[in-house]
Amino acid sequence: MWNTPAVVTMLLGSAILPILLGTAVFGQDANSVGGYLALVGGTVYVSPTEEPIRDGVVLIQGGKIVAVGSKASTHLPKETRTVDCSGLIVTAGFWNSHVHFFERKWANAAAIPAAELSRQLQDMLTRYGFTSVFDLGSMWENTRQLRGRIESGEVPGPRIRTTGEALLPPGALPSDTVLNMMGVMKFPAPEIADAAQATAASRKLLDEGVDGIKLFASSPRGAPLAESAMQAAVHEAHRSGQPVFVHTNSGTDVLTAVRAGVDVVAHTTPHSGPWDETILAAMKERRVALTPTLTIWKYYARHDRVSAQEQIASTAIGQLRAWVAAGGTVLFGNDLGAVDYDPTEEYTLMAESGMSFRQILASLTTAPAERFGESRQLGRVAAGLAADLVVLKDDPAKNIRALTEVQYTLRDGKIIYRADK
Ligand SMILES: [Zn+2]
């Protein structure tokens, strides 16, 4: 008889395990112990601020980048497997700092067949180069199961951080009918009305292991969350070393939340008009970051008159432009899960706000890595960092839409997505 533990131990050291686990195409590039993989011949944007390396090499071993340089100056060890990246662009893996795993497709995540789960993660995330995501509101236990299946190596996917359930003021949760139309699974959301409830609800989630707290600042059908309640949630989160995100519906919400000490404003707020100096100065002074979510306003307004659509879009773009001009930190985030998956329009709207390619690249890489305490491991293409990488077909410095033309996505040195040839 086969001795199961011995067989597993034997297989763990080989490339066979990923095949057994249903991810035959993936993992083999990476998992062979001691094996080297090199991306060869591409233009490498090592960071948003440095000059790119032309005809470059990124050498990977054991899930980490071990060398980056020009082809002429970088020695490849014998038997290095190579991926020809001539004419292609290499960057650090992208972060999406505002996503949701709340669509019905993720329900009962522990039971979704591996192949189907892989496809869903690919369609939403890895085909667009996202190797790290922050989920800002979903069913914590379910998202934990999803993450567990990725981290065990069973299915290829991004690094997931999550706030679990968002904390809502009474009346903020959309009706079942609306949630159903949005495609959102049904799960209870904690309501908080004051500081004591904010403390208790935050502490419960933090003790259960979430990576941050998400607050809704106001509700269309009730009083907004008091600054003292937001402060209480911030206090609990920061006591655990975790960030606080806020869903804002207006400039007033932004001001209250920023004064309460939140870390990330999760939306622009075009429905209440441009952000004035008071709001911008408060955001700047408290060093918050912003996920712009420009696309969702156009999406929600798509049934309105064209002039109204343009008004909303241009106000949101103006808010982002003002924030960038003030030197504010932007984290790429487009409310993925609530909008169509293709982020091309978000990139073009960010560019319309005056963000350069390099600023947009920073919002996808170095800025979130720094904000979430991962800059020693993620966000740049440098020796010693995790080999989370994106290979693009064309240069986004010339056309920002090229950010979505992903040829390969690598996480921990494994090719977790490749475009069909
Ligand atoms: Zn959201």
Side-chain angles (χ1 to χ4, degrees), residues 23-276:
T23 54
V25 178
F26 306 99
Q28 55 194 350
D29 305 339
N31 260 355
S32 42
V33 174
Y36 286 92
L37 174 72
L39 307 182
V40 178
T43 296
V44 184
Y45 283 99
V46 294
S47 80
T49 52
E50 293 162 82
E51 279 309 301
I53 299 168
R54 314 266 170 201
D55 206 10
V57 170
V58 181
L59 182 63
I60 297 160
Q61 186 203 28
K64 290 202 182 309
I65 298 166
V66 292
V68 185
S70 68
K71 205 155 87 179
S73 68
T74 309
H75 169 73
L76 296 186
K78 240 202 264 179
E79 293 175 16
T80 296
R81 288 169 31 83
T82 58
V83 176
D84 181 12
C85 291
S86 309
L88 305 178
I89 305 295
V90 182
T91 75
F94 298 158
W95 290 66
N96 192 327
S97 301
H98 189 154
V99 310
H100 294 278
F101 291 106
F102 61 22
E103 291 175 278
R104 286 191 293 270
K105 66 176 65 171
W106 308 112
N108 203 1
I112 303 170
E116 190 176 9
L117 191 55
S118 301
R119 273 177 56 203
Q120 292 184 178
L121 288 163
Q122 177 175 310
D123 289 350
M124 180 178 175
L125 298 161
T126 55
R127 65 165 294 187
Y128 297 113
F130 295 116
T131 53
S132 293
V133 298
F134 220 126
D135 164 273
L136 303 190
S138 67
M139 190 179 172
W140 156 237
E141 178 54 27
N142 194 62
T143 305
R144 194 181 66 76
Q145 300 269 357
L146 172 63
R147 176 166 72 190
R149 292 184 69 183
I150 296 169
E151 294 310 311
S152 74
E154 184 194 0
V155 290
R159 304 170 194 274
I160 296 175
R161 288 168 181 240
T162 178
T163 64
E165 287 84 357
L167 307 185
L168 309 167
L173 190 68
S175 69
D176 283 0
T177 314
V178 171
L179 288 176
N180 196 42
M181 274 169 52
M182 288 173 67
V184 174
M185 66 174 98
K186 206 170 170 332
F187 58 94
E191 286 195 343
I192 50 170
D194 57 30
Q197 290 177 4
T199 298
S202 303
R203 182 42 48 200
K204 179 169 186 291
L205 281 165
L206 291 158
D207 286 346
E208 287 170 1
V210 296
D211 308 293
I213 291 292
K214 167 78 173 292
L215 300 172
F216 272 65
S218 61
S219 149
R221 287 175 297 278
L225 204 53
E227 190 176 323
S228 58
M230 292 196 213
Q231 255 170 1
V234 167
H235 178 75
E236 286 307 307
H238 289 183
R239 212 153 67 78
S240 295
Q242 304 294 14
V244 176
F245 300 79
V246 64
H247 172 107
T248 45
N249 293 311
S250 66
T252 307
D253 283 353
V254 173
L255 206 49
T256 310
V258 166
R259 286 175 175 159
V262 304
D263 304 283
V264 181
V265 174
H267 293 289
T268 45
T269 60
H271 295 92
S272 63
W275 283 342
D276 62 21

Side-chain angles (χ1 to χ4, degrees), residues 39 43-48 58 65 68 89-96 128-132 159 347 357 360-369 374-375 377-382 385-392 396 403 406 408-412:
L39 307 182
T43 296
V44 184
Y45 283 99
V46 294
S47 80
V58 181
I65 298 166
V68 185
I89 305 295
V90 182
T91 75
F94 298 158
W95 290 66
N96 192 327
Y128 297 113
F130 295 116
T131 53
S132 293
R159 304 170 194 274
Y347 294 133
F357 156 63
I360 294 173
L361 183 63
S363 80
L364 286 161
T365 56
T366 46
E374 290 277 13
S375 54
Q377 200 205 343
L378 299 169
R380 289 171 297 124
V381 186
L385 272 67
D388 284 17
L389 299 159
V390 181
V391 180
L392 303 168
L403 283 170
V406 174
Y408 301 98
T409 302
L410 289 84
R411 179 187 159 187
D412 289 321

